[in-house]
Each structure stands twice: as C-alpha cells, then as structure tokens.
Amino acid sequence: MKLGLLIDLDTCVGCHGCATACKQWNTSGTIGPLSDSNPYGKDPDGAWLNRIRTYEVGDAPDSKTVHFPMSCLHCENADCVTVCPTGASYKREEDGIVLVDQDKCMGCNLCAWACPYGARELDHDQGVMKKCTLCVDRIYDQNLPEEERQPACVLTCPTSSRLFGDFDDPESEVSIKSRQRGGRDLMPELGYEPTNKYLPPREKATVEMFALDSTEDGFSLKSWVNKMIAR
Amino acid sequence: MHPALSILVFTVTSGFGYGLMTLLILSQLLGGSPFANVNAYLIAFFVAFVLMSIGLLSSTFHLANPKNAWRAFNRFRTSWLSREGVLALLYYPIALSYVAVLWINEWQTTVAAYVLGAVCVVLGFVLTHCTAMIYASLKTIPQWHTRRVPIGFCLFFIYSGVLAYALAVVSEGGSPLSAVWIAACVLALTGLVFKLKYFTFVGEPSKTTINTATTFTEATVRLFDTGHSAENFLQKEFAYVVGPKTQALARKAVLALAFIVPLVLSALQFSRESSSLSMAIAAVLCCYVGLLLERWLFFIEAKHVVRRFYGEQY
Amino acid sequence: MVHVLLKRRLIDEEFLVRYTNAPQLIIHAPGSAEHGLILRTDEGEPAVWDQVSENYASACDPNVSPALVGEYQTPDGRTVKTAMALILEKYSDLQYAPENAAEQCGIAAEDIERFALEMAQIAFKESIRIDTEWTDWAGRKHDHFIGRPVSMHAMRGISAHSNGFQTCRALHLLQALLGTIDCPGGHLAKPPYPKHIPPHIKPARTCAPNTPLESPPLGFPTSPEDLLIDENGDPLRIDKAYSWDAPIASHGMMHMVIRNAVNADPYSIDTLMLFMANMAWNSSMNTAETMNMLREKDDNGEYKIPFIVSCDAFHSETVNFSDLVIPDTTYLERYDTISMLDRPISEPHAACDAIRHPILNTDRDVRSWQEVLIELGGRLELPLFIDENGGRRYKDYKDFIINYEKTPGIGFLAGWRGENGDQHLVGAPNPKQWEAYIENESFFELKLADNQRFLRHSNQGYLEFAKNAGWVGSTDQIVIELYSETLQSFRLAGEGLYDGPTPKTEEQAERLVKYFDPLPFFYKPLEQQQQDENQYPFYAINQRPMHMYHSWDSQNAWLRQITSHNYMYMNRKQAIDLGIDDLGWAWVESHNGRIRVQVKYMEAVEKNTVWTWNAIGKQAGAWGLTKDANESHQGFLMNHLISESLPKQKSITNSDPITGQAAWYDLKVNIRAALAEEQGSWPEFDEVKTLPRQQSTPDSVSYATHSNVNLNRSNRDILTRGGLK
Ligand SMILES: Nc1nc2c(c(=O)[nH]1)N[C@H]1C(S)=C(S)[C@@H](COP(=O)(O)OP(=O)(O)OC[C@H]3O[C@@H](n4cnc5c(=O)[nH]c(N)nc54)[C@H](O)[C@@H]3O)O[C@H]1N2
Ligand SMILES: Nc1nc2c(c(=O)[nH]1)N[C@H]1C(S)=C(S)[C@@H](COP(=O)(O)OP(=O)(O)OC[C@H]3O[C@@H](n4cnc5c(=O)[nH]c(N)nc54)[C@H](O)[C@@H]3O)O[C@H]1N2
Ligand code: SF4
Ligand code: SF4
Ligand code: SF4
Ligand code: SF4
Ligand code: SF4
Ligand SMILES: [Mo]
C-alpha cells in the first residue's frame, strides 16, 4: 500500500480548516501535544503538521490566486528517514506512512533539513520533531465508523479538496482522479517521489454565448407577442 | 540556514583536534618525534584530545532532546550523522592505543604503532568526510549538495592540523621542518582558491525554483500569504538571512583570516632562521576565527529549498 | 445584463407568468394616489389580463393565461400596464446599456454582454430535467422539473452598501428572468424558507412594563402605517429603525444606538445593555469616536449613557466600558438550540436543526446566559414563564426548549416530538427529546421527498408539508415580487400622494421618492454622493477571514497564529505607481479620519480598490492578550474610517435608506506612503487596564486532552532496516 493525499489546488479556498482540524486531532494523538510559544503574546508560533500558503500565479489581469496546503508528502525516497541518526524517523513498510517515534527522537533537526517540503517542525517545548502522521490513529481505528476512518484534515475540508487513499491501487479514487486530472509532484527534480499529488487548477470552462438568431428588438412593446401560458 | 553556534564550534574545533592528531601521527611515523621531550609529545596529544572532545560535546548542545543523544549511534546504516558518531567514538580507543603503544615502546615506531597510526590517519579523513557528508548529502540545499563540501572539510581539517602542529612544535622551542611551512603555504593557497571558487558556486541559481515547488512552471509565481503572521520554525531555521553588506564583509574576513594571514605568516616563518612563537600563535588564532567565520558563512549562504515555498524565486 | 437579456428576449416567460408578479397589472396614473399600485379585482386580488377571455381576471385564478406584456384601459378609464411592461420600459433605457454600465462598474461592455449571453446559454440551452411527479399550487400534475443551472451568491458584498437593497433586488430580477429561482441548479431556499412575501409579522409598536410585546421587535412593514413613529413623525425606537430614515429596517439598526443615545436623538436612555456585541470596537462605525461617546458626560458631569451592562464571554473592548459585566459561558459550555423558529442549519433538501449541550464542565459558579434568562423569566413572573398557580413553569433551559410550544405541536426543536419521540416537525413535547438529539450527534435531519424539492414557492406537496410544520401560514402560492407595491406606497408617501402617514421633512420625502423605486435600480451610494470623488479615489472594503469569526478568535492560540495582524491589500502596479513598498506603511484617509496600515501587494485586487480582513486589530490589553500583541501594534481596524452618518447630513445614518443596513463597504479613501520613521499601526489607544486577579498569560502551551499514545518503532527494525548506502 502507498497511502497518501490527493490535494486539489483548483478548489481549495484556503480556509485553514484542515490545518486547524489537524492540529486539534494530533495534539492529543500519537504525536502530540503540539506546543505553541507565546500563544497570547507577541509573535505567536507553534508546531503545525499542515500549513496553507497562498500564491499568485501570473500577472494581473491573467493572474490566479492559488491556495496551497502542505503536509508531509510521505515520499518514496524519504531522505528525512535516511538521515535520521536515531532511527526515530521511519517509513512504514506496510503502507508507506512516514512517522517519527517521539520516544526516540533527539531533536537534532537533521530530518527537517533533509525535507524539501517544510513538512517537519521541531516542537520547542517537547524537544522532538513533529510531522503529519497521515492520521494513522484514525485510518485504522476499528472503533470509528468506516466513513470516519480518514484523516482529520480530509474529513473537515469544506470543499472536498483533500482525498485520502492508496496510490498503489490503480482503481482507488485517488489514483483515478490523479490520472484524470494530471496529479503533479512538487519539486520533482529532487527525486523524493512524493506520494501526495497535487491537482492543478482547471482551465476556465469555456461557455458558449447564446447564439442569436434574430436581431429583433425585445424592448418594443408593440412587437411583443404574448405566449399562451396558463397561470 | 540558521547557524547554530554549537555546530560551528564543533566542526571547527574538532577539525583542529583531528588535524593536530593526524599531523602528530604522520610526523612520528614519517620522521620520528619532532619534540625534544616526551612530555611535550604527551601534552600535544592531550591538547588534540581536548579539542576533539570539546567539539564533540558542543555538538550535543544544539539537540533539543539530548537525553536521546546516545541513540544517534543506531542508524549508521544510512545516516552520515550516525556514522560520524560511531567513528568518532571509535577514534578514541584507536588513538589512545596508538599513544599507548608508542609510550610502552619508548617512542619507537613499532609495527603496531604503524598500523594503529595509519588507521588513525585514515579514520581522521573518513570521519571528516562523514561530517561533511551530513551536509553534502542534503539534496535540499544545493549549496551543500556538492563534492566541494567533503573536499573542503578535508582540506580545512588537514590545513588547521598543520598550523596547530607547527604551533605545537614552535611552542616547545623547536622549529618544524621547512616541509611543514611549505605544506601550510600550499594548503592555505589551495584553501583560498577553493573558497573563492565556492563563493562563485553558491551564487549559481538552483534548478529548484518557486515554479517547480508549486508546479506552476509556465508563469511567474509570487508568494501572497505565508499562512501565519509570525515567523515559524521553518523560517527561523531555513530562511535565516543577513544583509548583503555583512555577507560581503564576512567573505573578505574569511579569506583574510583563514587563509591570507596564515599564508603570509607561514611564508615568513619559512624564510626565517628560527620559527617565531607569536607568529605561530597568530596564524592558528587567525585561522581558527577565520574558519569559524567560514563555517558561519557556509550556513548563511546555504539556501534551503523550503525557502521557495516562502517566496524565494530560485 | 438585464438590458442585454431583455433586448434579445432571452427570458423564461413561463417562469415569469407562473411564478412572479410580472403579469400583474399596475395602475398608470401619475400624480394620483393610486399610481403604481396594483390593479385589484373586486375581491381585492391582483388583476391580470387573461388572453383567453380577453378580460381582466384574478392573478390567483389558475385557469387564466395572463398577458405578460401589455397596456390596457379599464372600463373606468384608467390605464394599466403589466409589471413586465414596466420592466421592459425601464431597462430598455440606454442608461442600462452595457456601454453605460461599464462606466459605472469598470467591467467592459463586451464582458457584460458576454456574461449575460453565457448565462442565457446555460439557462436555456443547457438546462437539466429531473423526472419527478409533482403537483403545483393549483393542483395540476407535472412530470418533471426543469433546472436552469445558473447560480449566484451574494451577501455583505452587496448588502453592506447604501444601495444594497436595490442591488439585491436587481440580482433577484436577473435570476427570475432566467428562471433560476428554486429550480435544480439555481438559487435554492432552505427550510423553513421560502415564506410568503412579506411575512405577516409587524414590528412591535409599543412596550410597557409588565406587558409582553404585542409582536416581535423586528418585522416587515408593508406600508407607511406600519412605521414606528410618533404623531410628529419622529422615531419611536432608539435605533430609529422603521422611521422615515429607514422604513423597512427589518434587521434593526444596532449600529446607531450609541450615537443616538448620546445625542439624545430621538431620546436619551438610562441603561444600555449589550449581549454578545463588541459595540465599542469592531461592530461600530467610527470606533474611536464611539469610544469617546461611551465616555461622554453631560453638563452635570453625569455620563450620557449612565449605565452599561454587557453580557460577554471574553474581555472585549466593550466589556471594558461596562458598569456591570455578566460573564457568559462559551458555546462549549452551554445549552443552545439552532431552531427552525430562527435560522436553523437546514440544507436545501433537508430540514435540519440542532442543539448545543455542554461538553465541558464549568470550573466556577457560572451559568449560560440562556439558563439565566429562563431563571429571570420565572423570577420576574413573565406570563409565559409562570404556570396557572403562579409558580415557575420552566425548571431550566432544557425544560423550556422541550416543553414550550409556539402553537400546539410546534416548538423549538423539530425532531423526535410526540410523547414517544416518534413524530417529526409536529407533535406533543417529548420529555426525552434532548437526549434523542445528543444520541444523534446533536442534530436532526429530515430529507424532503423528491416531489417537494423544487419550485417550492408553487409546489403544493411542499406547501402543504410546510404549512403542517408551521413554516408557512397558508398553502397559497408564494408569488415572487419583481414589482414591489410596498416600495411604491412609500414612494407615494414621499410624493405627498399617500393617503396615510407622510414624511415631515423635505429630506425624508426626497429619499422616499428617489430610492423607493418599485423596480430595482442602481444609484451611487449615499456617502459617495456627498463627497469629492477625486479626493478619495479608492474604494475600501472588508472581507471576513474564513478562519476567524469577527473579533473573537484572537484569544484563540491557534487561529491567531494564522492571522495576528492584517494588511491593506492593494493592486501591485497601483501601489508601485504611488511609491508604496510591499509591506511598507501607508496612511489611509477618509472623510472621517485616518489610519496607518501596512500595505501588501496583490495581483487579484482591482486597481482602485483596497481591502483588508475584518476585525483583526485589537485594543492593547484586551482579550487576555499581552499588551505587545501584534493585533494591537500591527493589526488595524478599518472601522475608524467609516462614518456612522453622512458627510453632509450629519443626522442621517450612513445606511441603506430603505433597510437601514449599515453601509460598511461604501467607504472611499486616499492613500499615501508613510514616512520612513512612521512604523506600526495607528491610531493606538490606551492600554486596557489589567483586571484585578487577572492571570498572566503562559509563555507556552501544550494543549492536549490526554498524554500522547506514541507509536514505537522496534529497536530491531532500527538496527537492521535499510542498506548501507
Ligand atoms: N469565517 C467567518 N464567517 C462568517 C463571519 C465571520 O466573521 N467569519 N461572519 C458572519 C456574518 S455576521 C456575516 S454578516 C456573514 C457575511 O458574509 P459575506 O457576505 O461573505 O461577507 P464578507 O466576506 O465580509 O464580504 C463578501 C465579499 O464582498 C465583497 N464586496 C465588497 N463590496 C462589494 C461590491 O460592491 N460588490 C460585490 N460584488 N462585492 C463586494 C468583498 O470583497 C468580500 O469578498 O458571514 C458570516 N460568516
Ligand atoms: N468594518 C467593518 N465592520 C463590520 C463589518 C464589516 O464587514 N466591516 N461587519 C459587521 C457585521 S455584518 C457584524 S454581524 C458585526 C459583528 O460584530 P459583533 O457581533 O459585535 O462582533 P463579534 O466579534 O462577533 O463579537 C461580539 C461579542 O461576542 C462575544 N462573545 C463570543 N462568544 C460569546 C458567548 O458565547 N456569549 C456571549 N455572551 N458573548 C460572546 C465576544 O467576546 C464579543 O465581545 O460587525 C460589523 N462590523
Ligand atoms: S515530505 Fe518531507 S518529511 Fe515527508 S516524507 Fe517527504 S521528505 Fe520526509
Ligand atoms: S530530529 Fe529526531 S527524527 Fe529528526 S533526524 Fe533528529 S532524531 Fe531523527
Ligand atoms: S493526514 Fe492527519 S496528520 Fe496529516 S495533515 Fe491531515 S490531519 Fe494532519
Ligand atoms: S480545508 Fe480544504 S479548502 Fe480549506 S484550506 Fe484545507 S484543503 Fe483548502
Ligand atoms: S464555517 Fe464554522 S461556523 Fe460556519 S457553518 Fe461551518 S462550522 Fe459552522
Ligand atoms: Mo453580520
């Protein structure tokens, strides 16, 4: 299995709902707590597993504002794992999820250095590395109803811009959608082969204009012929 | 990259330590002790050990969770940091055995000394290479992901070793062989040229751009919103920047302190009848500060690709 | 776009005839008291011209085929025209042509025309058909619904302007012409809507001690008689809602209360009570001045508003002005209903309501406001809250919610009614109702049957269902009012032709004549009419950040990390031309004052418009934030620039002249770069004093509901996995 997320840059509205739901779920989950420094003061900052940035693509008037959510992409060639000296970081063989064992991490930051996607953040208070768990404690939880065995971010997204599934299965929803819409890799040149794919914004639909077959002047009361329409 | 002081101190100081150790061994194995008395030899060894250890200890200061530092030996299979740790640990007993064998054999270079010494010298290079590979293996930092980095680390480690060794000899009232001064000059000159070339190299654009980061390769891409108001971990760690003026000044200082001054001083030493202690001290101090600055710049000029997501174009 | 569609006759004539008042006949008698009113039958029903009988007929008679467009003479010699004829006449005027509209809105004429024709294409050539049997209001059976999938969304962007009401009506006119109201793919109502227009609720006129209000405080006036004015024509309400200044102020005019009270116009008050409203800050126009008003004293040194009570869950800027603070619980700690009687959580095709029940135990002796109200109701012996013996009728909020019935069988919650909890929408109170909601994750959902899902204004199946549920009073067709007789009656009053109350001042009369057009039209926002365009060339508007709710997410440790300070977003090229740097500080000035803000370049903003997130700026020390919090020193509030009165008519509210809706987005400003040393947002206010026993804020929090359950990697795996590379 190769579990991951398919993220739709066409429909994401940048609401930060996924980032907040992620923090909420995971701060009490396998990787929590996710600490915050200066929470009520100047320059508040904290550990998040998912962040949304916004870009402007192209110059006005041909410009598009694109919201860009990013969490761990659960790369095939996860150098963040290779470099980890303690073995705290690992990629699970069974499903490809990349995790950090909170009990073994020494907080050296090296894995964060090795991650091109900014998916790892050191928790200053806890002294250990935090990253997206793909909500491993939801997706396998038999106590949850089946439709809720999905990452918190996926469940919360109001525009369904995040899909979760197995990219190894060519018939999974994520594989099919990714094929259909040309799912893309971020920084492919680095060779990390991320599992998570990004769907590009769609071309604007071209709508035909109503073909006008007469130049009749609708404004003329005189030429108006009322149809027989029963109330 | 954010330069953690402990890492700067670690790499430079332990570089001096391993370098000194390597030179002490080499000179012993190639030409016999340069020291008039045994104590001087022991003191030099001791200093080398202290420098290595200070370096190693300081490397743990930047750990956020040092209680798990011992686990760093676990992943030597893939992690250069782990390998460095394992080799550093290995270095001590071997280097100590070397000293012990010499001592037992009353400073005669026995076969055992040859073997242990050779292992130590090789280990010094391998170890330095491992340290360098921690940086050079990172595809995420184009300025580091280059063979230049291990070459540079090895060059600077042996260069600082030569200067430290010369100082050790001079401080005992001796005069090193001219070969030592020549080596110092050659290494300083090589370092200078190497660094100049590296400065050009780091300015080269990387193939990872804001466009490849965001997948929009056919239009200009601008960061509009980071998604958080204050600087976060990623920005503090990866987007640490200094002004261009400071950077230019630092470059000049590195060249002058780490290479030009020691080069001139070593050339002068070479031309003198007997070596000057103050000049040897000055050379080592300048080089130490210069290399610390060099390491600082090494971080400052390293542009982690995460910065593309924060708006840097390439 | 209306002009374009009408010119090409790209309109849904069937929709207009069947579902709107477009075919109804309007009396054309300029200068008379009946001009612009609807011709009525002897029974008082609106009249249409029946093409079959070639005679007048009742619009309520399903057996007529009304003429959509036409002009007729009544036997008594009056000229009448169909509303549609008036629509054609009005919008054929060249002022509505794309070329002229382009000048107003900055969108090219070709684009306006293209939008209109694209919508027509989708509506008429790419329509959808849903095969379902349904019965219309007159009992006729149909076997399908036609969907015209053109949908529009608008709210504050349009309503927060002083021409907002007419603009909203214009949008609905466009929808009706395209036949996209409550059809598949179109604008859909959510239960309990749609309702008859106007709803038969009139705002309460009087109030007296120990007497319940005769009707809700807010309602829908239909003619000048319904205004809440005294015999001199002066407002009865402190906010002047339902006065000549804002006759159809169906939301009330909360934003004017403080100003009116301080000016004793229409009168002064002794107590101001605020529930869940930050009136000293983000929900006031002219914030700095509002704060001064709250401090203002009369000649005797008494506060002009002597006593202020606020009920709030947080230490807001307003709380700080209060004499009495009633601390409320947050929604995590309280009982609440999101009821079908108010604004429930329904979906277009499902009636839904919900409850909130506390999931946290309060850590001190505090009760939710709802509990307190029920308790007060009992103690004050309000009629509804005492039983036959004068004892307390409702033990607590839950008891009230379960057992109160608006009419027999209908209460706050629609789900699990009846003694056994097996009835929905209507049924006797169920003592276990609350538990049933909790059991079902706090909400109730009843899906509408397939035949009840569309054209509900004219769908018998739906209307009967809705009447049974108490959502509508009758099963009569809900006719969409393209032509508003209500507005016309006010306009007649303005012209002095109305047989009833008429305005007392020229100003009032002029506003009625100008703005109460029975057909929608565009006019320049009031504030903009009264100031020099060149002096304030930029439109300045707000937008709500998706991740925050007005002022009160700044005390949230996570959300404020996302936005702890806001920028003024400005078109990149425009800012460069003005010499303003990206992230540079700039002065923004309106006729009401100036603020200093940080500018951020943006591609996607129109070149003469600037905008920012709403309600990010905070007064230093409020909300439990430290005094150096970014919200107070880099964040800012646009409200300082927005005036609550018109530049040249200081006594008149800066609101929609019809509805009194605050014109938050009419603001125009000029902008210039600040000097290098001018950094940080301005104005800054005195720091809010630290409260007695206020705890200092932590430097770090690690919030979790329980300690983490880590997943461990085995040591064996650590030592053996992965090749030596
Ligand atoms: N996250 C969040 N949700 C909320 C709230 C909140 O505070 N936060 N508040 C709730 C409340 S009380 C309300 S009233 C609603 C309001 O909900 P919305 O009406 O969606 O409110 P805004 O986002 O303020 O404004 C909508 C848009 O109007 C645009 N606009 C301004 N002037 C014009 C104009 O002349 N023409 C057009 N076409 N557009 C214009 C603005 O640029 C903005 O993008 O939201 C509710 N929901
Ligand atoms: N410039 C500009 N100004 C605007 C707008 C705009 O678009 N632009 N929008 C306007 C609109 S549409 C609106 S609705 C207003 C909103 O303005 P308000 O309703 O005044 O603002 P809020 O920030 O929602 O919060 C009001 C108060 O509710 C308190 N509160 C939060 N939870 C609870 C609770 O559980 N119980 C109690 N008792 N109190 C609680 C908060 O602490 C706060 O003090 O702002 C208006 N102001
Ligand atoms: S996104 Fe980063 S942290 Fe996640 S697997 Fe890839 S390299 Fe590792
Ligand atoms: S911070 Fe932790 S997980 Fe990351 S490389 Fe260091 S030890 Fe491994
Ligand atoms: S999968 Fe889970 S951990 Fe990963 S971003 Fe989504 S919510 Fe966060
Ligand atoms: S919740 Fe969905 S729409 Fe909102 S930011 Fe996340 S991905 Fe985008
Ligand atoms: S955005 Fe939040 S408050 Fe608004 S409806 Fe959704 S959940 Fe409720
Ligand atoms: Mo609102």
Side-chain angles (χ1 to χ4, degrees), chain C residues 20 22 27 30 37 46 106 160 192 195 210 212 273 277 341 374 408 432 471 475 483 486 531 629 664:
Chain C
T20 76
I27 299 165
L37 299 182
K195 300 210 181 214
N210 298 324
M273 195 158 171
L341 303 184
I374 304 301
K432 293 248 152 26
W471 301 338
T475 56
Y483 182 92
T486 298
Q531 66 185 9
W664 301 107

Side-chain angles (χ1 to χ4, degrees), chain B residues 252-302:
Chain B
K252 286 184 192 131
V254 168
L255 297 178
L257 291 172
F259 306 110
I260 298 173
V261 175
L263 172 68
V264 171
L265 290 174
S266 302
L268 286 175
Q269 297 272 41
F270 175 70
S271 62
R272 283 167 66 109
E273 283 283 296
S274 67
S275 306
S276 143
L277 178 62
S278 49
M279 279 163 75
I281 294 176
V284 166
L285 281 183
C286 275
C287 178
Y288 185 77
V289 175
L291 285 183
L292 268 183
L293 214 53
E294 188 272 343
R295 214 45 47 99
W296 181 80
L297 253 189
F298 178 68
F299 276 83
I300 294 297
E301 296 187 331

Side-chain angles (χ1 to χ4, degrees), chain A residues 24-179:
Chain A
Q24 169 67 32
W25 176 257
N26 287 287
T27 199
S28 302
T30 58
I31 201 146
L34 299 167
S35 315
D36 304 292
S37 50
N38 271 349
Y40 307 107
K42 191 170 159 46
D43 297 340
D45 176 28
W48 296 67
L49 313 185
N50 183 10
R51 291 188 185 265
I52 293 90
R53 301 180 191 92
T54 303
Y55 299 93
E56 296 181 316
V57 183
D59 294 347
D62 300 312
S63 162
K64 184 163 175 60
T65 308
V66 180
H67 303 288
F68 216 106
M70 283 180 72
S71 47
C72 172
L73 295 95
H74 300 280
C75 308
E76 279 294 281
N77 298 326
D79 273 8
C80 56
V81 170
T82 317
V83 301
C84 174
T86 61
S89 275
Y90 62 112
K91 185 170 173 71
R92 307 204 325 166
E93 264 156 354
E94 61 271 38
D95 53 18
I97 300 180
V98 174
L99 291 176
V100 177
D101 183 334
Q102 299 288 291
D103 294 339
K104 300 197 173 71
C105 171
M106 66 176 188
C108 68
N109 278 357
L110 191 52
C111 53
W113 291 10
C115 171
Y117 307 113
R120 291 172 170 254
E121 299 191 10
L122 186 77
D123 184 320
H124 289 282
D125 195 64
Q126 310 287 311
V128 281
M129 195 52 73
K130 308 280 164 136
K131 69 173 289 301
C132 157
T133 63
L134 210 63
C135 288
V136 64
D137 50 348
R138 289 194 65 92
I139 57 179
Y140 292 111
D141 188 348
Q142 302 292 321
N143 294 323
L144 291 173
E146 198 171 336
E147 67 277 12
E148 282 180 32
R149 282 178 225 154
Q150 302 230 23
C153 58
V154 172
L155 287 174
T156 211
C157 176
T159 60
S160 304
S161 297
R162 308 172 71 89
L163 289 180
F164 161 75
D166 179 9
F167 284 87
D168 253 356
D169 172 5
E171 292 316 308
S172 67
E173 193 187 5
V174 287
S175 299
I176 294 173
K177 274 239 165 85
S178 178
R179 265 200 311 276

Side-chain angles (χ1 to χ4, degrees), chain C residues 153-158 161 541-550 614 665:
Chain C
H153 174 85
M155 197 188 164
R156 278 286 180 260
I158 282 177
H161 292 281
I541 56 180
N542 290 142
Q543 188 176 180
R544 280 145 181 71
M546 283 168 282
H547 49 281
M548 288 196 173
Y549 194 86
H550 295 286
N614 185 38
Y665 300 164

Side-chain angles (χ1 to χ4, degrees), chain A residues 198-210:
Chain A
Y198 285 80
L199 298 178
R202 276 173 279 215
E203 290 293 315
K204 240 186 270 173
T206 41
V207 177
E208 272 177 60
M209 283 195 267
F210 195 99

Side-chain angles (χ1 to χ4, degrees), chain C residues 250-541:
Chain C
S250 301
H251 296 88
M253 295 173 69
M254 194 154 126
H255 56 291
M256 297 309 295
V257 171
I258 292 174
R259 184 194 154 94
N260 293 353
V262 167
N263 290 348
D265 171 19
Y267 44 78
S268 47
I269 56 176
D270 55 17
T271 302
L272 174 66
M273 195 158 171
L274 296 165
F275 171 70
M276 215 184 333
N278 201 3
M279 294 303 298
W281 196 252
N282 57 297
S283 62
S284 271
M285 294 166 142
N286 200 359
T287 300
E289 196 43 44
T290 302
M291 292 168 94
N292 287 335
M293 289 185 217
L294 291 172
R295 283 186 281 254
E296 218 166 292
K297 293 183 176 167
D298 63 17
D299 297 340
N300 304 326
E302 294 291 330
Y303 282 110
K304 290 196 170 168
I305 302 181
F307 197 64
I308 301 177
V309 183
S310 59
C311 174
D312 209 290
F314 303 101
H315 184 197
S316 75
E317 288 84 354
T318 304
V319 162
N320 218 50
F321 280 93
S322 307
D323 299 279
L324 175 65
V325 181
I326 304 175
D328 196 5
T329 48
T330 70
Y331 56 86
L332 292 172
E333 304 146 307
R334 71 153 167 254
Y335 293 109
D336 211 347
T337 52
I338 299 91
S339 162
M340 212 65 81
L341 303 184
D342 188 25
R343 282 154 295 177
I345 58 166
S346 293
E347 295 288 322
H349 297 148
C352 315
D353 62 10
I355 62 161
R356 290 191 182 114
H357 63 99
I359 56 167
L360 298 178
N361 291 322
T362 51
D363 64 357
R364 68 207 88 158
D365 182 18
V366 32
R367 277 181 249 177
S368 77
W369 182 237
Q370 284 82 343
E371 285 295 15
V372 174
L373 286 178
I374 304 301
E375 167 113 26
L376 281 176
R379 289 201 198 182
L380 294 173
E381 301 186 356
L382 301 182
L384 189 71
F385 291 87
I386 48 170
D387 60 21
E388 306 74 46
N389 310 320
R392 244 181 99 164
R393 190 193 294 255
Y394 301 110
K395 190 162 97 272
D396 54 15
Y397 182 71
K398 192 170 131 186
D399 189 21
F400 174 62
I401 289 301
I402 291 173
N403 290 310
Y404 168 79
E405 289 174 287
K406 186 181 143 222
T407 50
I410 293 176
F412 283 101
L413 294 172
W416 300 285
R417 301 193 68 85
E419 265 145 48
N420 306 317
D422 49 8
Q423 285 160 274
H424 294 316
L425 303 182
V426 190
N430 164 17
K432 293 248 152 26
Q433 189 182 30
W434 196 265
E435 286 70 26
Y437 271 82
I438 293 179
E439 183 79 359
N440 197 49
E441 298 187 13
S442 298
F443 75 98
F444 159 72
E445 179 186 37
L446 182 72
K447 293 208 163 69
L448 300 187
D450 286 350
N451 67 337
Q452 297 169 338
R453 295 190 166 190
F454 302 106
L455 300 178
R456 283 167 285 190
H457 40 80
S458 304
N459 180 329
Q460 194 179 62
Y462 174 80
L463 287 167
E464 280 170 2
F465 172 78
K467 178 161 188 287
N468 175 50
W471 301 338
V472 291
S474 81
T475 56
D476 293 349
Q477 183 189 18
I478 298 169
V479 178
I480 297 167
E481 278 193 15
L482 295 188
Y483 182 92
S484 170
E485 195 181 31
T486 298
L487 290 183
Q488 178 61 17
S489 71
F490 281 98
R491 180 177 255 188
L492 288 172
E495 290 168 339
L497 296 171
Y498 189 71
D499 184 16
T502 48
K504 294 287 175 284
T505 70
E506 282 283 310
E507 267 176 350
Q508 290 167 344
E510 194 194 318
R511 281 159 63 95
L512 295 176
V513 175
K514 241 169 139 175
Y515 306 122
F516 283 64
D517 192 322
L519 290 174
F521 76 116
F522 171 82
Y523 55 92
K524 191 187 264 199
L526 305 189
E527 187 179 65
Q528 290 164 25
Q529 292 177 19
Q530 300 187 9
Q531 66 185 9
D532 180 1
E533 296 273 299
N534 300 324
Q535 197 180 349
Y536 303 110
F538 289 96
Y539 295 90
I541 56 180

